[in-house]
Amino acid sequence: MSTDAAPAAGDWRRKLVVTAVVVGIVLLLGLIASATIPRWWAQRIGDQVDGSIVAGTLVGLFYGFVFTFLPLLVLAAVFRWKRTWRALVMAAAFAILLAIPNLLTLGIVLGTGNAAHAGDRILDVEAPAFRGASLAGALLAAGLILFVGYLLYSRGRARDEARAL
């Protein structure tokens, strides 16, 4: 009876088949998602805004600000207090999860497929001013994070200079 650690001849074939099936399923799900999610997201936003320019502006500002501010806050907190690779990867994954509403809108705006164009038309009619307000909210959130970061940095620098004196 041999106890060597050599893999069985069919072991790599099984792993190859399983990997091919998983990759195929992921690609199929990605194809289905790219054809349905932009339309679905545009319809959800259209239902919230209901054709009102004021509502489109307010909802866009809310989504843009909140779903940019929270991911950036998570990343800033992890960069400030935990600098391990595992913490950074977990924070990046969580930040992407928090940014999904903005990423879905960005997919509609920058997308070139039929679903993205359909989502674009839906947002034009049912959610006027949403895209621009969402961009404005995202820029405001990024600016706020940068401003607070600058204040914390300058406060620390001033404290270090005061200690040195």
PDB file of all heavy atoms in Angstrom, residues 88-126:
ATOM      1  N   LEU A  88      -8.061  45.619   4.540  1.00  0.00           N
ATOM      2  CA  LEU A  88      -8.231  46.454   3.343  1.00  0.00           C
ATOM      3  C   LEU A  88      -9.112  45.770   2.304  1.00  0.00           C
ATOM      4  O   LEU A  88      -9.975  46.409   1.690  1.00  0.00           O
ATOM      5  CB  LEU A  88      -6.872  46.808   2.751  1.00  0.00           C
ATOM      6  CG  LEU A  88      -5.989  47.723   3.587  1.00  0.00           C
ATOM      7  CD1 LEU A  88      -4.620  47.893   2.934  1.00  0.00           C
ATOM      8  CD2 LEU A  88      -6.654  49.070   3.791  1.00  0.00           C
ATOM      9  N   VAL A  89      -8.919  44.478   2.101  1.00  0.00           N
ATOM     10  CA  VAL A  89      -9.731  43.743   1.130  1.00  0.00           C
ATOM     11  C   VAL A  89     -11.180  43.667   1.599  1.00  0.00           C
ATOM     12  O   VAL A  89     -12.114  43.874   0.804  1.00  0.00           O
ATOM     13  CB  VAL A  89      -9.141  42.330   0.888  1.00  0.00           C
ATOM     14  CG1 VAL A  89     -10.101  41.445   0.124  1.00  0.00           C
ATOM     15  CG2 VAL A  89      -7.816  42.437   0.157  1.00  0.00           C
ATOM     16  N   MET A  90     -11.381  43.396   2.881  1.00  0.00           N
ATOM     17  CA  MET A  90     -12.749  43.339   3.420  1.00  0.00           C
ATOM     18  C   MET A  90     -13.422  44.710   3.311  1.00  0.00           C
ATOM     19  O   MET A  90     -14.601  44.796   2.968  1.00  0.00           O
ATOM     20  CB  MET A  90     -12.723  42.869   4.877  1.00  0.00           C
ATOM     21  CG  MET A  90     -12.179  41.484   5.078  1.00  0.00           C
ATOM     22  SD  MET A  90     -13.399  40.211   4.911  1.00  0.00           S
ATOM     23  CE  MET A  90     -14.409  40.510   6.311  1.00  0.00           C
ATOM     24  N   ALA A  91     -12.687  45.775   3.614  1.00  0.00           N
ATOM     25  CA  ALA A  91     -13.245  47.120   3.524  1.00  0.00           C
ATOM     26  C   ALA A  91     -13.577  47.474   2.077  1.00  0.00           C
ATOM     27  O   ALA A  91     -14.605  48.094   1.805  1.00  0.00           O
ATOM     28  CB  ALA A  91     -12.270  48.136   4.108  1.00  0.00           C
ATOM     29  N   ALA A  92     -12.707  47.096   1.149  1.00  0.00           N
ATOM     30  CA  ALA A  92     -12.976  47.373  -0.267  1.00  0.00           C
ATOM     31  C   ALA A  92     -14.224  46.629  -0.733  1.00  0.00           C
ATOM     32  O   ALA A  92     -15.062  47.200  -1.441  1.00  0.00           O
ATOM     33  CB  ALA A  92     -11.770  46.988  -1.110  1.00  0.00           C
ATOM     34  N   ALA A  93     -14.372  45.374  -0.324  1.00  0.00           N
ATOM     35  CA  ALA A  93     -15.563  44.610  -0.693  1.00  0.00           C
ATOM     36  C   ALA A  93     -16.816  45.236  -0.084  1.00  0.00           C
ATOM     37  O   ALA A  93     -17.849  45.371  -0.759  1.00  0.00           O
ATOM     38  CB  ALA A  93     -15.418  43.163  -0.239  1.00  0.00           C
ATOM     39  N   PHE A  94     -16.737  45.645   1.176  1.00  0.00           N
ATOM     40  CA  PHE A  94     -17.886  46.280   1.829  1.00  0.00           C
ATOM     41  C   PHE A  94     -18.196  47.631   1.192  1.00  0.00           C
ATOM     42  O   PHE A  94     -19.370  47.989   1.012  1.00  0.00           O
ATOM     43  CB  PHE A  94     -17.607  46.427   3.331  1.00  0.00           C
ATOM     44  CG  PHE A  94     -18.787  46.870   4.120  1.00  0.00           C
ATOM     45  CD1 PHE A  94     -19.969  46.141   4.125  1.00  0.00           C
ATOM     46  CD2 PHE A  94     -18.738  48.031   4.871  1.00  0.00           C
ATOM     47  CE1 PHE A  94     -21.069  46.550   4.852  1.00  0.00           C
ATOM     48  CE2 PHE A  94     -19.839  48.459   5.602  1.00  0.00           C
ATOM     49  CZ  PHE A  94     -21.008  47.718   5.592  1.00  0.00           C
ATOM     50  N   ALA A  95     -17.165  48.389   0.826  1.00  0.00           N
ATOM     51  CA  ALA A  95     -17.373  49.686   0.177  1.00  0.00           C
ATOM     52  C   ALA A  95     -18.039  49.511  -1.188  1.00  0.00           C
ATOM     53  O   ALA A  95     -18.935  50.281  -1.551  1.00  0.00           O
ATOM     54  CB  ALA A  95     -16.044  50.421   0.038  1.00  0.00           C
ATOM     55  N   ILE A  96     -17.635  48.504  -1.933  1.00  0.00           N
ATOM     56  CA  ILE A  96     -18.273  48.239  -3.223  1.00  0.00           C
ATOM     57  C   ILE A  96     -19.729  47.856  -3.013  1.00  0.00           C
ATOM     58  O   ILE A  96     -20.612  48.300  -3.754  1.00  0.00           O
ATOM     59  CB  ILE A  96     -17.508  47.149  -3.992  1.00  0.00           C
ATOM     60  CG1 ILE A  96     -16.168  47.708  -4.479  1.00  0.00           C
ATOM     61  CG2 ILE A  96     -18.319  46.619  -5.167  1.00  0.00           C
ATOM     62  CD1 ILE A  96     -15.236  46.670  -5.056  1.00  0.00           C
ATOM     63  N   LEU A  97     -19.995  47.072  -1.996  1.00  0.00           N
ATOM     64  CA  LEU A  97     -21.367  46.693  -1.680  1.00  0.00           C
ATOM     65  C   LEU A  97     -22.210  47.925  -1.338  1.00  0.00           C
ATOM     66  O   LEU A  97     -23.354  48.054  -1.790  1.00  0.00           O
ATOM     67  CB  LEU A  97     -21.366  45.709  -0.508  1.00  0.00           C
ATOM     68  CG  LEU A  97     -22.614  44.896  -0.274  1.00  0.00           C
ATOM     69  CD1 LEU A  97     -22.829  43.937  -1.441  1.00  0.00           C
ATOM     70  CD2 LEU A  97     -22.489  44.116   1.008  1.00  0.00           C
ATOM     71  N   LEU A  98     -21.633  48.840  -0.564  1.00  0.00           N
ATOM     72  CA  LEU A  98     -22.355  50.065  -0.210  1.00  0.00           C
ATOM     73  C   LEU A  98     -22.557  50.996  -1.409  1.00  0.00           C
ATOM     74  O   LEU A  98     -23.504  51.777  -1.436  1.00  0.00           O
ATOM     75  CB  LEU A  98     -21.604  50.822   0.889  1.00  0.00           C
ATOM     76  CG  LEU A  98     -21.658  50.235   2.287  1.00  0.00           C
ATOM     77  CD1 LEU A  98     -20.728  50.995   3.217  1.00  0.00           C
ATOM     78  CD2 LEU A  98     -23.077  50.257   2.822  1.00  0.00           C
ATOM     79  N   ALA A  99     -21.674  50.913  -2.379  1.00  0.00           N
ATOM     80  CA  ALA A  99     -21.738  51.809  -3.535  1.00  0.00           C
ATOM     81  C   ALA A  99     -22.581  51.250  -4.679  1.00  0.00           C
ATOM     82  O   ALA A  99     -22.665  51.875  -5.734  1.00  0.00           O
ATOM     83  CB  ALA A  99     -20.325  52.107  -4.030  1.00  0.00           C
ATOM     84  N   ILE A 100     -23.226  50.119  -4.488  1.00  0.00           N
ATOM     85  CA  ILE A 100     -23.972  49.483  -5.580  1.00  0.00           C
ATOM     86  C   ILE A 100     -25.006  50.416  -6.232  1.00  0.00           C
ATOM     87  O   ILE A 100     -25.087  50.451  -7.458  1.00  0.00           O
ATOM     88  CB  ILE A 100     -24.603  48.152  -5.116  1.00  0.00           C
ATOM     89  CG1 ILE A 100     -23.511  47.091  -5.058  1.00  0.00           C
ATOM     90  CG2 ILE A 100     -25.724  47.706  -6.035  1.00  0.00           C
ATOM     91  CD1 ILE A 100     -23.962  45.748  -4.559  1.00  0.00           C
ATOM     92  N   PRO A 101     -25.799  51.198  -5.489  1.00  0.00           N
ATOM     93  CA  PRO A 101     -26.743  52.084  -6.185  1.00  0.00           C
ATOM     94  C   PRO A 101     -26.058  53.061  -7.143  1.00  0.00           C
ATOM     95  O   PRO A 101     -26.536  53.278  -8.263  1.00  0.00           O
ATOM     96  CB  PRO A 101     -27.440  52.828  -5.044  1.00  0.00           C
ATOM     97  CG  PRO A 101     -27.362  51.879  -3.899  1.00  0.00           C
ATOM     98  CD  PRO A 101     -26.027  51.209  -4.038  1.00  0.00           C
ATOM     99  N   ASN A 102     -24.932  53.628  -6.731  1.00  0.00           N
ATOM    100  CA  ASN A 102     -24.209  54.525  -7.627  1.00  0.00           C
ATOM    101  C   ASN A 102     -23.590  53.767  -8.794  1.00  0.00           C
ATOM    102  O   ASN A 102     -23.539  54.279  -9.915  1.00  0.00           O
ATOM    103  CB  ASN A 102     -23.125  55.291  -6.866  1.00  0.00           C
ATOM    104  CG  ASN A 102     -23.694  56.414  -6.054  1.00  0.00           C
ATOM    105  OD1 ASN A 102     -24.842  56.791  -6.182  1.00  0.00           O
ATOM    106  ND2 ASN A 102     -22.874  56.948  -5.166  1.00  0.00           N
ATOM    107  N   LEU A 103     -23.121  52.563  -8.543  1.00  0.00           N
ATOM    108  CA  LEU A 103     -22.538  51.768  -9.617  1.00  0.00           C
ATOM    109  C   LEU A 103     -23.594  51.351 -10.633  1.00  0.00           C
ATOM    110  O   LEU A 103     -23.320  51.299 -11.837  1.00  0.00           O
ATOM    111  CB  LEU A 103     -21.819  50.550  -9.040  1.00  0.00           C
ATOM    112  CG  LEU A 103     -20.602  50.854  -8.169  1.00  0.00           C
ATOM    113  CD1 LEU A 103     -20.054  49.579  -7.544  1.00  0.00           C
ATOM    114  CD2 LEU A 103     -19.538  51.575  -8.963  1.00  0.00           C
ATOM    115  N   LEU A 104     -24.797  51.062 -10.167  1.00  0.00           N
ATOM    116  CA  LEU A 104     -25.881  50.733 -11.098  1.00  0.00           C
ATOM    117  C   LEU A 104     -26.237  51.933 -11.973  1.00  0.00           C
ATOM    118  O   LEU A 104     -26.438  51.795 -13.187  1.00  0.00           O
ATOM    119  CB  LEU A 104     -27.112  50.259 -10.324  1.00  0.00           C
ATOM    120  CG  LEU A 104     -26.998  48.904  -9.640  1.00  0.00           C
ATOM    121  CD1 LEU A 104     -28.212  48.650  -8.761  1.00  0.00           C
ATOM    122  CD2 LEU A 104     -26.828  47.798 -10.650  1.00  0.00           C
ATOM    123  N   THR A 105     -26.305  53.107 -11.364  1.00  0.00           N
ATOM    124  CA  THR A 105     -26.585  54.321 -12.141  1.00  0.00           C
ATOM    125  C   THR A 105     -25.451  54.593 -13.117  1.00  0.00           C
ATOM    126  O   THR A 105     -25.698  54.954 -14.274  1.00  0.00           O
ATOM    127  CB  THR A 105     -26.787  55.517 -11.195  1.00  0.00           C
ATOM    128  OG1 THR A 105     -27.839  55.207 -10.280  1.00  0.00           O
ATOM    129  CG2 THR A 105     -27.145  56.770 -11.965  1.00  0.00           C
ATOM    130  N   LEU A 106     -24.222  54.418 -12.673  1.00  0.00           N
ATOM    131  CA  LEU A 106     -23.075  54.615 -13.550  1.00  0.00           C
ATOM    132  C   LEU A 106     -23.100  53.631 -14.708  1.00  0.00           C
ATOM    133  O   LEU A 106     -22.750  53.982 -15.840  1.00  0.00           O
ATOM    134  CB  LEU A 106     -21.782  54.470 -12.753  1.00  0.00           C
ATOM    135  CG  LEU A 106     -20.486  54.834 -13.458  1.00  0.00           C
ATOM    136  CD1 LEU A 106     -20.478  56.322 -13.798  1.00  0.00           C
ATOM    137  CD2 LEU A 106     -19.302  54.484 -12.585  1.00  0.00           C
ATOM    138  N   GLY A 107     -23.526  52.411 -14.450  1.00  0.00           N
ATOM    139  CA  GLY A 107     -23.653  51.420 -15.511  1.00  0.00           C
ATOM    140  C   GLY A 107     -24.656  51.828 -16.565  1.00  0.00           C
ATOM    141  O   GLY A 107     -24.470  51.561 -17.755  1.00  0.00           O
ATOM    142  N   ILE A 108     -25.721  52.484 -16.148  1.00  0.00           N
ATOM    143  CA  ILE A 108     -26.716  52.975 -17.113  1.00  0.00           C
ATOM    144  C   ILE A 108     -26.141  54.140 -17.912  1.00  0.00           C
ATOM    145  O   ILE A 108     -26.276  54.207 -19.127  1.00  0.00           O
ATOM    146  CB  ILE A 108     -28.011  53.395 -16.389  1.00  0.00           C
ATOM    147  CG1 ILE A 108     -28.719  52.164 -15.843  1.00  0.00           C
ATOM    148  CG2 ILE A 108     -28.931  54.177 -17.321  1.00  0.00           C
ATOM    149  CD1 ILE A 108     -29.903  52.478 -14.941  1.00  0.00           C
ATOM    150  N   VAL A 109     -25.478  55.049 -17.219  1.00  0.00           N
ATOM    151  CA  VAL A 109     -24.960  56.250 -17.883  1.00  0.00           C
ATOM    152  C   VAL A 109     -23.837  55.901 -18.858  1.00  0.00           C
ATOM    153  O   VAL A 109     -23.799  56.419 -19.975  1.00  0.00           O
ATOM    154  CB  VAL A 109     -24.475  57.269 -16.827  1.00  0.00           C
ATOM    155  CG1 VAL A 109     -23.747  58.420 -17.477  1.00  0.00           C
ATOM    156  CG2 VAL A 109     -25.658  57.785 -16.017  1.00  0.00           C
ATOM    157  N   LEU A 110     -22.914  55.039 -18.457  1.00  0.00           N
ATOM    158  CA  LEU A 110     -21.759  54.722 -19.301  1.00  0.00           C
ATOM    159  C   LEU A 110     -21.949  53.480 -20.159  1.00  0.00           C
ATOM    160  O   LEU A 110     -21.124  53.209 -21.030  1.00  0.00           O
ATOM    161  CB  LEU A 110     -20.510  54.529 -18.418  1.00  0.00           C
ATOM    162  CG  LEU A 110     -20.066  55.728 -17.604  1.00  0.00           C
ATOM    163  CD1 LEU A 110     -18.837  55.372 -16.785  1.00  0.00           C
ATOM    164  CD2 LEU A 110     -19.807  56.929 -18.485  1.00  0.00           C
ATOM    165  N   GLY A 111     -23.009  52.727 -19.903  1.00  0.00           N
ATOM    166  CA  GLY A 111     -23.226  51.474 -20.619  1.00  0.00           C
ATOM    167  C   GLY A 111     -23.513  51.682 -22.093  1.00  0.00           C
ATOM    168  O   GLY A 111     -24.079  52.698 -22.508  1.00  0.00           O
ATOM    169  N   THR A 112     -23.111  50.693 -22.899  1.00  0.00           N
ATOM    170  CA  THR A 112     -23.318  50.783 -24.340  1.00  0.00           C
ATOM    171  C   THR A 112     -24.307  49.746 -24.857  1.00  0.00           C
ATOM    172  O   THR A 112     -24.633  49.748 -26.034  1.00  0.00           O
ATOM    173  CB  THR A 112     -21.975  50.594 -25.070  1.00  0.00           C
ATOM    174  OG1 THR A 112     -21.423  49.337 -24.703  1.00  0.00           O
ATOM    175  CG2 THR A 112     -21.006  51.707 -24.720  1.00  0.00           C
ATOM    176  N   GLY A 113     -24.788  48.881 -23.991  1.00  0.00           N
ATOM    177  CA  GLY A 113     -25.701  47.825 -24.409  1.00  0.00           C
ATOM    178  C   GLY A 113     -27.138  48.314 -24.528  1.00  0.00           C
ATOM    179  O   GLY A 113     -27.488  49.449 -24.172  1.00  0.00           O
ATOM    180  N   ASN A 114     -27.980  47.433 -25.044  1.00  0.00           N
ATOM    181  CA  ASN A 114     -29.394  47.761 -25.218  1.00  0.00           C
ATOM    182  C   ASN A 114     -30.077  48.048 -23.886  1.00  0.00           C
ATOM    183  O   ASN A 114     -30.914  48.951 -23.793  1.00  0.00           O
ATOM    184  CB  ASN A 114     -30.121  46.620 -25.928  1.00  0.00           C
ATOM    185  CG  ASN A 114     -29.703  46.498 -27.374  1.00  0.00           C
ATOM    186  OD1 ASN A 114     -29.243  47.472 -27.975  1.00  0.00           O
ATOM    187  ND2 ASN A 114     -29.840  45.315 -27.935  1.00  0.00           N
ATOM    188  N   ALA A 115     -29.750  47.280 -22.848  1.00  0.00           N
ATOM    189  CA  ALA A 115     -30.381  47.490 -21.546  1.00  0.00           C
ATOM    190  C   ALA A 115     -29.982  48.834 -20.953  1.00  0.00           C
ATOM    191  O   ALA A 115     -30.805  49.521 -20.341  1.00  0.00           O
ATOM    192  CB  ALA A 115     -30.014  46.363 -20.597  1.00  0.00           C
ATOM    193  N   ALA A 116     -28.728  49.238 -21.143  1.00  0.00           N
ATOM    194  CA  ALA A 116     -28.285  50.536 -20.640  1.00  0.00           C
ATOM    195  C   ALA A 116     -28.992  51.668 -21.385  1.00  0.00           C
ATOM    196  O   ALA A 116     -29.391  52.662 -20.768  1.00  0.00           O
ATOM    197  CB  ALA A 116     -26.773  50.673 -20.783  1.00  0.00           C
ATOM    198  N   HIS A 117     -29.155  51.509 -22.691  1.00  0.00           N
ATOM    199  CA  HIS A 117     -29.881  52.540 -23.452  1.00  0.00           C
ATOM    200  C   HIS A 117     -31.347  52.595 -23.045  1.00  0.00           C
ATOM    201  O   HIS A 117     -31.931  53.677 -22.950  1.00  0.00           O
ATOM    202  CB  HIS A 117     -29.748  52.292 -24.955  1.00  0.00           C
ATOM    203  CG  HIS A 117     -28.367  52.548 -25.481  1.00  0.00           C
ATOM    204  ND1 HIS A 117     -27.731  53.763 -25.341  1.00  0.00           N
ATOM    205  CD2 HIS A 117     -27.510  51.749 -26.132  1.00  0.00           C
ATOM    206  CE1 HIS A 117     -26.539  53.695 -25.886  1.00  0.00           C
ATOM    207  NE2 HIS A 117     -26.364  52.476 -26.374  1.00  0.00           N
ATOM    208  N   ALA A 118     -31.942  51.438 -22.797  1.00  0.00           N
ATOM    209  CA  ALA A 118     -33.333  51.415 -22.325  1.00  0.00           C
ATOM    210  C   ALA A 118     -33.431  52.077 -20.958  1.00  0.00           C
ATOM    211  O   ALA A 118     -34.351  52.862 -20.692  1.00  0.00           O
ATOM    212  CB  ALA A 118     -33.849  49.980 -22.266  1.00  0.00           C
ATOM    213  N   GLY A 119     -32.485  51.784 -20.076  1.00  0.00           N
ATOM    214  CA  GLY A 119     -32.460  52.424 -18.760  1.00  0.00           C
ATOM    215  C   GLY A 119     -32.278  53.931 -18.878  1.00  0.00           C
ATOM    216  O   GLY A 119     -32.887  54.700 -18.131  1.00  0.00           O
ATOM    217  N   ASP A 120     -31.446  54.348 -19.820  1.00  0.00           N
ATOM    218  CA  ASP A 120     -31.237  55.779 -20.073  1.00  0.00           C
ATOM    219  C   ASP A 120     -32.552  56.455 -20.475  1.00  0.00           C
ATOM    220  O   ASP A 120     -32.890  57.531 -19.979  1.00  0.00           O
ATOM    221  CB  ASP A 120     -30.215  55.928 -21.196  1.00  0.00           C
ATOM    222  CG  ASP A 120     -29.199  57.000 -20.928  1.00  0.00           C
ATOM    223  OD1 ASP A 120     -29.188  57.552 -19.812  1.00  0.00           O
ATOM    224  OD2 ASP A 120     -28.401  57.279 -21.843  1.00  0.00           O
ATOM    225  N   ARG A 121     -33.280  55.831 -21.373  1.00  0.00           N
ATOM    226  CA  ARG A 121     -34.571  56.394 -21.811  1.00  0.00           C
ATOM    227  C   ARG A 121     -35.582  56.424 -20.666  1.00  0.00           C
ATOM    228  O   ARG A 121     -36.341  57.381 -20.521  1.00  0.00           O
ATOM    229  CB  ARG A 121     -35.107  55.603 -22.998  1.00  0.00           C
ATOM    230  CG  ARG A 121     -34.304  55.815 -24.271  1.00  0.00           C
ATOM    231  CD  ARG A 121     -34.964  55.175 -25.480  1.00  0.00           C
ATOM    232  NE  ARG A 121     -35.121  53.739 -25.343  1.00  0.00           N
ATOM    233  CZ  ARG A 121     -34.215  52.835 -25.693  1.00  0.00           C
ATOM    234  NH1 ARG A 121     -33.070  53.224 -26.180  1.00  0.00           N
ATOM    235  NH2 ARG A 121     -34.452  51.553 -25.546  1.00  0.00           N
ATOM    236  N   ILE A 122     -35.592  55.369 -19.854  1.00  0.00           N
ATOM    237  CA  ILE A 122     -36.504  55.335 -18.709  1.00  0.00           C
ATOM    238  C   ILE A 122     -36.179  56.476 -17.750  1.00  0.00           C
ATOM    239  O   ILE A 122     -37.077  57.179 -17.266  1.00  0.00           O
ATOM    240  CB  ILE A 122     -36.435  53.972 -17.987  1.00  0.00           C
ATOM    241  CG1 ILE A 122     -37.025  52.881 -18.876  1.00  0.00           C
ATOM    242  CG2 ILE A 122     -37.163  54.020 -16.648  1.00  0.00           C
ATOM    243  CD1 ILE A 122     -36.763  51.465 -18.378  1.00  0.00           C
ATOM    244  N   LEU A 123     -34.886  56.681 -17.462  1.00  0.00           N
ATOM    245  CA  LEU A 123     -34.500  57.776 -16.564  1.00  0.00           C
ATOM    246  C   LEU A 123     -34.827  59.137 -17.174  1.00  0.00           C
ATOM    247  O   LEU A 123     -35.181  60.065 -16.450  1.00  0.00           O
ATOM    248  CB  LEU A 123     -33.013  57.686 -16.219  1.00  0.00           C
ATOM    249  CG  LEU A 123     -32.604  56.529 -15.308  1.00  0.00           C
ATOM    250  CD1 LEU A 123     -31.098  56.560 -15.054  1.00  0.00           C
ATOM    251  CD2 LEU A 123     -33.360  56.552 -13.996  1.00  0.00           C
ATOM    252  N   ASP A 124     -34.697  59.279 -18.494  1.00  0.00           N
ATOM    253  CA  ASP A 124     -35.046  60.543 -19.152  1.00  0.00           C
ATOM    254  C   ASP A 124     -36.509  60.913 -18.912  1.00  0.00           C
ATOM    255  O   ASP A 124     -36.831  62.062 -18.632  1.00  0.00           O
ATOM    256  CB  ASP A 124     -34.809  60.458 -20.664  1.00  0.00           C
ATOM    257  CG  ASP A 124     -33.357  60.608 -21.050  1.00  0.00           C
ATOM    258  OD1 ASP A 124     -32.567  61.106 -20.221  1.00  0.00           O
ATOM    259  OD2 ASP A 124     -33.010  60.222 -22.182  1.00  0.00           O
ATOM    260  N   VAL A 125     -37.386  59.920 -19.035  1.00  0.00           N
ATOM    261  CA  VAL A 125     -38.821  60.180 -18.952  1.00  0.00           C
ATOM    262  C   VAL A 125     -39.334  60.143 -17.524  1.00  0.00           C
ATOM    263  O   VAL A 125     -40.051  61.052 -17.081  1.00  0.00           O
ATOM    264  CB  VAL A 125     -39.592  59.152 -19.821  1.00  0.00           C
ATOM    265  CG1 VAL A 125     -41.091  59.314 -19.650  1.00  0.00           C
ATOM    266  CG2 VAL A 125     -39.199  59.298 -21.279  1.00  0.00           C
ATOM    267  N   GLU A 126     -38.977  59.114 -16.772  1.00  0.00           N
ATOM    268  CA  GLU A 126     -39.573  58.904 -15.458  1.00  0.00           C
ATOM    269  C   GLU A 126     -38.766  59.486 -14.306  1.00  0.00           C
ATOM    270  O   GLU A 126     -39.289  59.613 -13.205  1.00  0.00           O
ATOM    271  CB  GLU A 126     -39.778  57.406 -15.226  1.00  0.00           C
ATOM    272  CG  GLU A 126     -40.796  56.800 -16.175  1.00  0.00           C
ATOM    273  CD  GLU A 126     -41.052  55.343 -15.874  1.00  0.00           C
ATOM    274  OE1 GLU A 126     -40.842  54.918 -14.727  1.00  0.00           O
ATOM    275  OE2 GLU A 126     -41.473  54.633 -16.795  1.00  0.00           O
TER     276      GLU A 126
END
